[in-house]
Amino acid sequence: MCDQLRADYLSCYGAKAPVTPTIDALAARGTRFDRAFTAAPVCGPSRMSFYTGRYTLSHGATWNFVPLPVGERTLGDYLDGAGIRTAVVGKTHHEPDREGMKRLALDPALGQGRLLGEGGFEPFARDDGVHPRGRNHRHQPYNGFLRRNGYGGENPWHDYANSGLDEKGELATGWLLRNSHRAARIPDELSETAWTVDRAMDFIREQGDKPWCLHVSFIKPHWPYIVSAPFHDRYGRDDVPPPVRSSAEREDANPVVMGFQAHPEAAAFSRDEVRLNVAPAYMGLVSQVDSHLARLMAFLEQSGRAADTLVIFTSDHGDYLGDHWQGEKELMYEQGVRIPLIVVDPTAMSGAGQVRSELAEAVDIVPTILDALGLPVPTHVCEGRSLMPLVKGGTATWPREAVFSEMDYAIYPTARKLGLGAREARMVMARTARWKLVHFGKAMPPQLFDLHNDPMELEDLGRAPGKQAVREELYGHLFDWMRNRRNRIGMTDAAVEQRPSPAAAGGVTIGVW
Amino acid sequence: MCDQLRADYLSCYGAKAPVTPTIDALAARGTRFDRAFTAAPVCGPSRMSFYTGRYTLSHGATWNFVPLPVGERTLGDYLDGAGIRTAVVGKTHHEPDREGMKRLALDPALGQGRLLGEGGFEPFARDDGVHPRGRNHRHQPYNGFLRRNGYGGENPWHDYANSGLDEKGELATGWLLRNSHRAARIPDELSETAWTVDRAMDFIREQGDKPWCLHVSFIKPHWPYIVSAPFHDRYGRDDVPPPVRSSAEREDANPVVMGFQAHPEAAAFSRDEVRLNVAPAYMGLVSQVDSHLARLMAFLEQSGRAADTLVIFTSDHGDYLGDHWQGEKELMYEQGVRIPLIVVDPTAMSGAGQVRSELAEAVDIVPTILDALGLPVPTHVCEGRSLMPLVKGGTATWPREAVFSEMDYAIYPTARKLGLGAREARMVMARTARWKLVHFGKAMPPQLFDLHNDPMELEDLGRAPGKQAVREELYGHLFDWMRNRRNRIGMTDAAVEQRPSPAAAGGVTIGVW
């Protein structure tokens, strides 16, 4: 899993730049999903959907730093029972439910409590990168690694791996977008991306022939946008595609969308000098991931693991890079919610190289992994469905008409400006093959896009009088989706279906004269 | 709390019979809610909504015997932290989440695990009655009580408390409706209802001046419909009101409704000889509750506790008794979903005797109790709202336009007959002051009733062409209600609203040139 990697910045998804031969090779060996979507266009909730197989509506970690409730089961719960060691290298963005653990008298430092604090993964080498909210970066293992390699100070992650030097030889922080074209102050082989792959190989080596599931979770190309040589100048301004935006988008747009346009990062990325300085660094970061992924794939090949390892390549969400006058990823445009998704099943090579246009979602990953392993999919808990029939080249009709993505925007300045309280500022997308509707809340108009006639999403039909029937159809999808939330997690579907009817149970008949 | 007590079988709610002076006196001392509704018209899910302040949609115990997930917080969690001993006498119908506890390595026999197995209540004298699914009736404390009083055999609950003797002196089981007119084989003072009140007094006496919250949970007037003398013949056939039903209801009705009409108990209660034999016993059971409640209220008065005890009288759902050609309670007619609700706050006597027509719900009880105690209401978890402003006689506008009730009917023969799977057979009601819509699932027509012009709910407008706009309005309420589900249980609303915006957090600014 990459972080903040939009699908159309991979050459197998049609990008001219960056060029991503390793990821393209995965697509050639497996199945590339052309219409795959995240359950939430921010890190935390998206990842919790990847880990639980449930939408944000159900798992409740609606935004970064919102804890995943202690009762939510994750991939680790399902694989643990099957004797499969399940670990993470890199980022999870999982926030432990300290209050929930306290209520149940669970010790976060011990046993089950420890895994509950790590999203169900054994933290083989967990490193979430260093975020501005001041997580304790002293204890991030990558910082320890840098120190052992001679990069000192309080926070070498920032001072070396995510900063450059300016013309005067002074520190040029990667936090500032004007520095994105500079080279980071560490060699590529000591980068976070290289470190992540090295730790993944350590884990796989250690596990030998015993079964495992490893979440290899790259922090990049997420900001800070700055990368080591030679990737810092592999791409230039001429490689940056023109922005997907129109001046009409800034006039009389949806109030929430206009609010997000006014956020600092959106304002910055709306300036060409910013886009043209940052996008090449972003591309460089993608190429860097591709390059180290090549080492990992070669290692799998050499160790014999390529023959019995299911590989899933994806990202938690995208990045606007100035498209639609936005930075970051929080709205529901394709650049934010569409994700790359490639599944390589070495036992299903009949599907090699296929491109599937069926709608796929982040919540499908847990069912897919369980299905691939021959384990039962808990359909009373998981809200996605196994992609394996498609991966195996199946031709049966895919029963999904729409995909869904959610975003809790209560924390953002836009919500406050619009006077929306903590429980009101939620957006939700329903997207079919042709249409996309975004509902921003009861008091707001929706967005509606016709992806067939307007694939760039430049014309918002959310208030168009002639599109009432389409909006109703999409609202119908949202309604059915909410009705279908999996809440009966304490009883399997099979147990319900096999249960005797109440009037005939236990040898006593109710309601008989 | 009573079990299966419909509101209109209390004299303060307009019944000619039974006469309920004690409950009427509570209404005269406090606030009677005339439009109160259960969150689910079956015991288990309704009670879990009473205990959590959350709809079935959220707490997930969608039917009887479906466990309440271990992560769901209950009244006991909230009061425990405030030093208030919270216990139950009588029934909870709580099903422990054994799988969830196992996952978290919680011992069901110890500490937190024990309370999780009891819906958060200290089981001072828990007794769920004996249900046909063969719960282990040997260990029900009321059976122990009967044995100590000389009523022997394997199951004295059945053989004495819930059976009579026929003309030949042979056992006439209360399970058979033809026996409902007989007297149960124990004196009234040893009945389940009497026992429940006696145990409640034991608890209150034991607790002395220390604070407590007691769930006094009567098993009656739930079936088996049979009652001790003198209540067995207090009411007769002439006291039974005519059935609320029309022959048109059996023709071309909603497929789900017709399915339920065919269930054995519905078929039985559609026969007059059944109704006329059972309803007097049901009335007798209500009078019996009223009579023992008089002892409890007198005890509160004598012990001084009446002056500082908030009393809430309610029921988990109603009973059709043949109305609408139904037995039991599972559909969404008023007889099933409308519940009595009386709140007596001795510190708010300005509201004494008032009748409120505002819409009230089972999920309001937890917020009401917390509010009455001056404790914070966790609005990020609880989906109801405190009724205290109404109890105190407030005149501000009540912001609730609709109430909701849900029913998982996957277990019933009707679902199987209609080919609905475990996840499809869910019904949900939205009811405003005037209209009621019941949605049975995507493939089914809804029911719609105009409670203003058709208070008896005899004319289903679910498919009426002229009522499309009304149905859309009600579907809009359902949509907003589902969108408003409280899923962000790991972060309070205040924490969200006070959190700095992401771009300005931690001293590092994202997206700046």
Side-chain angles (χ1 to χ4, degrees):
Chain A
M1 180 179 285
C2 283
D3 194 320
Q4 200 142 332
L5 170 60
R6 52 191 271 183
D8 62 349
Y9 271 58
L10 296 171
S11 41
C12 58
Y13 276 89
K16 284 186 191 152
V19 180
T20 50
T22 311
I23 298 163
D24 298 357
L26 285 174
R29 277 177 63 212
T31 299
R32 178 167 75 75
F33 288 89
D34 203 47
R35 286 175 176 161
F37 296 88
T38 181
V42 279
C43 304
S46 163
R47 287 159 182 270
M48 298 315 116
S49 288
F50 272 108
Y51 304 161
T52 60
R54 287 154 66 79
Y55 297 100
T56 301
L57 177 70
S58 286
H59 66 61
T62 60
W63 196 69
N64 297 333
F65 311 112
V66 176
L68 182 71
V70 78
E72 287 292 316
R73 299 169 211 174
T74 60
L75 183 61
D77 287 301
Y78 301 119
L79 298 187
D80 188 48
I84 296 166
R85 186 180 175 196
T86 304
V88 62
V89 162
K91 171 170 173 170
T92 68
H93 219 303
H94 174 268
E95 186 77 13
D97 179 10
R98 291 184 185 84
E99 203 187 332
M101 284 195 265
K102 192 176 154 199
R103 170 177 172 258
L104 299 173
L106 295 165
D107 186 337
L110 292 173
Q112 194 58 24
R114 183 147 190 241
L115 291 186
L116 290 172
E118 303 287 352
F121 294 103
E122 173 193 328
F124 185 80
R126 178 175 171 182
D127 196 302
D128 273 11
V130 177
H131 281 267
R133 281 195 66 78
R135 301 222 147 204
N136 196 340
H137 44 68
R138 285 170 187 277
H139 300 301
Q140 294 275 14
Y142 176 62
N143 255 344
F145 168 83
L146 286 178
R147 280 198 202 91
R148 287 194 301 279
N149 281 277
Y151 298 91
E154 199 200 342
N155 185 5
W157 174 88
H158 173 261
D159 296 350
Y160 296 94
N162 286 281
S163 288
L165 290 177
D166 70 11
E167 288 71 11
K168 296 175 193 162
E170 286 176 5
L171 191 93
T173 173
W175 286 120
L176 294 182
L177 304 174
R178 66 166 178 259
N179 293 324
S180 293
H181 62 291
R182 302 180 193 280
R185 297 175 65 201
I186 48 162
D188 169 52
E189 62 267 26
L190 299 181
S191 65
E192 279 175 294
T193 296
W195 176 87
T196 303
V197 162
D198 290 340
R199 295 295 77 73
M201 294 194 291
D202 288 347
F203 173 86
I204 296 166
R205 216 177 272 120
E206 181 178 307
Q207 195 63 358
D209 286 335
K210 287 173 287 186
W212 51 266
C213 172
L214 184 62
H215 178 27
V216 185
S217 186
F218 295 104
I219 293 153
K220 299 298 181 182
H222 194 284
W223 41 257
Y225 303 104
I226 191 163
V227 59
S228 297
F231 299 102
H232 76 295
D233 63 0
R234 177 163 289 186
Y235 304 100
R237 297 178 164 226
D238 294 345
D239 294 310
V240 180
V244 175
R245 64 195 185 198
S246 76
S247 55
E249 287 186 295
R250 306 189 97 168
E251 294 152 19
D252 190 32
N254 185 290
V256 179
V257 176
M258 289 188 84
F260 273 84
Q261 285 174 4
H263 287 185
E265 71 283 2
F269 275 99
S270 293
R271 291 159 56 196
D272 276 342
E273 64 179 333
V274 175
R275 288 188 69 245
L276 295 173
N277 204 52
V278 174
Y282 181 86
M283 293 177 182
L285 288 164
V286 176
S287 275
Q288 186 184 42
V289 167
D290 191 87
S291 139
H292 289 285
L293 212 46
R295 293 197 295 125
L296 184 58
M297 291 304 127
F299 173 79
L300 283 181
E301 199 65 54
Q302 287 149 20
S303 62
R305 289 283 78 85
D308 58 14
T309 299
L310 180 84
V311 177
I312 300 176
F313 177 85
T314 190
S315 174
D316 58 352
H317 54 75
D319 191 326
Y320 288 117
L321 295 170
D323 289 349
H324 302 291
W325 311 101
Q326 299 291 344
E328 285 277 54
K329 59 264 180 171
E330 284 89 350
L331 295 167
M332 298 290 174
Y333 294 109
E334 295 288 275
Q335 294 84 357
V337 294
R338 185 176 172 229
I339 51 175
L341 179 61
I342 297 165
V343 180
V344 184
D345 177 356
T347 70
M349 295 313 286
S350 64
Q354 67 176 336
V355 179
R356 308 269 347 192
S357 62
E358 287 90 346
L359 294 166
E361 303 188 79
V363 292
D364 297 334
I365 299 306
V366 167
T368 298
I369 292 173
L370 296 180
D371 190 21
L373 288 163
L375 296 171
V377 176
T379 53
H380 62 306
V381 181
C382 287
E383 292 166 336
R385 56 169 54 237
S386 169
L387 299 169
M388 289 309 291
L390 303 178
V391 169
K392 288 178 175 158
T395 55
T397 307
W398 185 239
R400 177 180 285 149
E401 287 181 66
V403 293
F404 304 91
S405 196
E406 297 169 275
M407 173 73 206
D408 176 356
Y409 64 104
I411 211 104
Y412 293 87
T414 295
R416 291 165 198 188
K417 206 178 288 175
L418 294 170
L420 300 172
R423 295 197 306 272
E424 296 166 289
R426 305 279 182 104
M427 66 181 84
V428 57
M429 172 193 86
R431 186 204 191 279
T432 63
R434 174 164 179 183
W435 298 99
K436 177 188 287 184
L437 179 111
V438 186
H439 174 70
F440 291 102
K442 199 176 172 178
M444 301 286 151
Q447 277 184 308
L448 177 72
F449 296 104
D450 179 347
L451 300 163
H452 181 72
N453 291 319
D454 175 28
M456 310 243 281
E457 301 174 289
L458 295 175
E459 191 188 355
D460 178 6
L461 303 169
R463 289 171 282 192
K467 291 291 176 285
Q468 183 61 21
V470 177
R471 288 192 295 268
E472 280 173 18
E473 187 194 327
L474 276 285
Y475 270 112
H477 283 301
L478 279 177
F479 185 92
D480 294 338
W481 168 71
M482 291 190 285
R483 284 307 297 154
N484 195 31
R485 152 173 158 66
R486 308 294 157 82
N487 62 345
R488 192 176 49 207
I489 63 171
M491 193 179 280
T492 66
D493 293 339
V496 169
E497 284 166 4
Q498 286 154 20
R499 200 177 172 93
S501 98
V508 176
T509 306
I510 300 168
V512 167
W513 174 253
Chain B
M1 180 180 285
C2 283
D3 195 320
Q4 199 142 330
L5 170 60
R6 52 190 273 185
D8 62 349
Y9 271 57
L10 296 171
S11 41
C12 57
Y13 277 88
K16 282 187 195 153
V19 181
T20 49
T22 312
I23 298 163
D24 298 357
L26 286 174
R29 275 177 62 212
T31 299
R32 179 168 73 77
F33 288 89
D34 202 47
R35 287 175 175 162
F37 295 89
T38 181
V42 278
C43 305
S46 163
R47 287 158 182 271
M48 298 314 118
S49 288
F50 272 109
Y51 304 161
T52 61
R54 287 154 66 78
Y55 297 101
T56 301
L57 177 71
S58 285
H59 67 60
T62 61
W63 197 68
N64 297 334
F65 311 112
V66 176
L68 182 71
V70 77
E72 287 293 316
R73 299 170 210 173
T74 59
L75 183 61
D77 288 301
Y78 301 120
L79 297 187
D80 188 49
I84 295 166
R85 186 180 175 195
T86 305
V88 62
V89 162
K91 171 169 173 170
T92 68
H93 219 303
H94 174 268
E95 185 77 11
D97 178 10
R98 292 185 185 85
E99 202 185 334
M101 283 197 265
K102 191 176 155 200
R103 170 179 172 256
L104 298 173
L106 294 166
D107 186 338
L110 292 172
Q112 194 58 26
R114 181 144 191 245
L115 291 186
L116 290 172
E118 302 287 353
F121 294 103
E122 174 193 328
F124 185 80
R126 178 176 171 181
D127 196 301
D128 274 11
V130 177
H131 282 268
R133 282 194 66 78
R135 302 223 147 202
N136 194 338
H137 43 69
R138 285 172 187 275
H139 300 301
Q140 295 275 15
Y142 176 63
N143 256 343
F145 167 83
L146 286 178
R147 280 197 203 92
R148 286 194 302 278
N149 280 277
Y151 297 90
E154 199 200 342
N155 185 3
W157 173 89
H158 174 262
D159 296 350
Y160 295 94
N162 287 281
S163 288
L165 290 177
D166 69 11
E167 288 71 13
K168 298 176 195 159
E170 286 175 9
L171 191 91
T173 172
W175 286 121
L176 295 183
L177 303 175
R178 68 166 177 258
N179 293 324
S180 293
H181 63 289
R182 303 182 192 279
R185 297 176 64 202
I186 48 165
D188 169 53
E189 62 268 26
L190 299 181
S191 65
E192 279 175 295
T193 296
W195 176 85
T196 303
V197 161
D198 290 339
R199 296 295 78 71
M201 294 194 289
D202 288 347
F203 174 86
I204 295 167
R205 216 176 272 121
E206 180 178 308
Q207 194 63 359
D209 287 335
K210 287 173 287 184
W212 51 266
C213 172
L214 184 63
H215 179 27
V216 185
S217 187
F218 296 103
I219 292 153
K220 298 298 181 183
H222 194 285
W223 40 257
Y225 303 103
I226 191 164
V227 60
S228 296
F231 299 102
H232 75 296
D233 63 1
R234 177 162 291 186
Y235 304 100
R237 296 179 165 226
D238 293 345
D239 295 308
V240 180
V244 176
R245 64 193 184 200
S246 75
S247 55
E249 286 186 296
R250 305 188 99 166
E251 293 154 20
D252 191 33
N254 185 290
V256 179
V257 175
M258 289 189 82
F260 274 84
Q261 284 174 4
H263 288 185
E265 70 283 2
F269 276 100
S270 294
R271 291 160 55 195
D272 277 340
E273 64 178 333
V274 175
R275 287 187 70 245
L276 295 174
N277 203 51
V278 174
Y282 180 85
M283 293 177 183
L285 288 164
V286 176
S287 276
Q288 186 183 41
V289 167
D290 190 87
S291 137
H292 289 285
L293 211 47
R295 293 199 295 126
L296 184 58
M297 292 303 129
F299 174 79
L300 282 182
E301 199 66 56
Q302 287 149 17
S303 63
R305 285 287 77 84
D308 57 14
T309 299
L310 181 82
V311 177
I312 300 176
F313 177 84
T314 190
S315 174
D316 58 352
H317 54 74
D319 190 326
Y320 288 116
L321 295 170
D323 289 348
H324 303 290
W325 311 100
Q326 299 292 342
E328 284 278 55
K329 59 264 182 171
E330 285 90 350
L331 295 167
M332 297 292 174
Y333 294 109
E334 294 288 276
Q335 294 83 356
V337 294
R338 184 173 172 232
I339 51 174
L341 179 62
I342 297 166
V343 180
V344 184
D345 177 356
T347 70
M349 295 312 288
S350 64
Q354 66 176 337
V355 180
R356 308 270 345 192
S357 61
E358 286 91 346
L359 294 166
E361 301 187 80
V363 292
D364 297 334
I365 298 306
V366 167
T368 298
I369 292 173
L370 296 179
D371 190 21
L373 288 164
L375 296 171
V377 176
T379 53
H380 62 307
V381 181
C382 287
E383 293 167 334
R385 56 169 56 237
S386 169
L387 298 170
M388 288 310 291
L390 303 179
V391 170
K392 288 178 176 158
T395 55
T397 308
W398 185 239
R400 176 180 284 149
E401 288 180 64
V403 293
F404 304 91
S405 197
E406 297 170 274
M407 174 73 206
D408 176 355
Y409 64 103
I411 212 105
Y412 294 86
T414 296
R416 291 166 198 189
K417 206 177 289 175
L418 294 171
L420 300 172
R423 295 197 306 273
E424 296 166 288
R426 305 278 183 107
M427 65 181 83
V428 57
M429 171 193 86
R431 185 205 193 277
T432 63
R434 173 164 180 183
W435 298 98
K436 179 188 286 186
L437 179 111
V438 186
H439 174 70
F440 292 101
K442 200 178 171 177
M444 299 287 152
Q447 276 184 311
L448 177 72
F449 296 104
D450 179 347
L451 299 163
H452 181 72
N453 291 319
D454 175 28
M456 308 243 282
E457 302 174 288
L458 295 174
E459 191 187 356
D460 178 6
L461 303 169
R463 290 172 283 193
K467 290 291 177 285
Q468 183 61 20
V470 176
R471 289 192 294 269
E472 280 174 18
E473 186 194 327
L474 275 286
Y475 270 112
H477 283 301
L478 280 176
F479 185 92
D480 294 338
W481 168 70
M482 291 190 285
R483 285 305 297 153
N484 194 32
R485 150 172 158 69
R486 308 294 157 82
N487 62 346
R488 192 176 49 207
I489 63 169
M491 194 179 280
T492 66
D493 293 339
V496 170
E497 285 168 1
Q498 286 154 18
R499 200 176 172 93
S501 98
V508 175
T509 307
I510 299 167
V512 166
W513 174 255

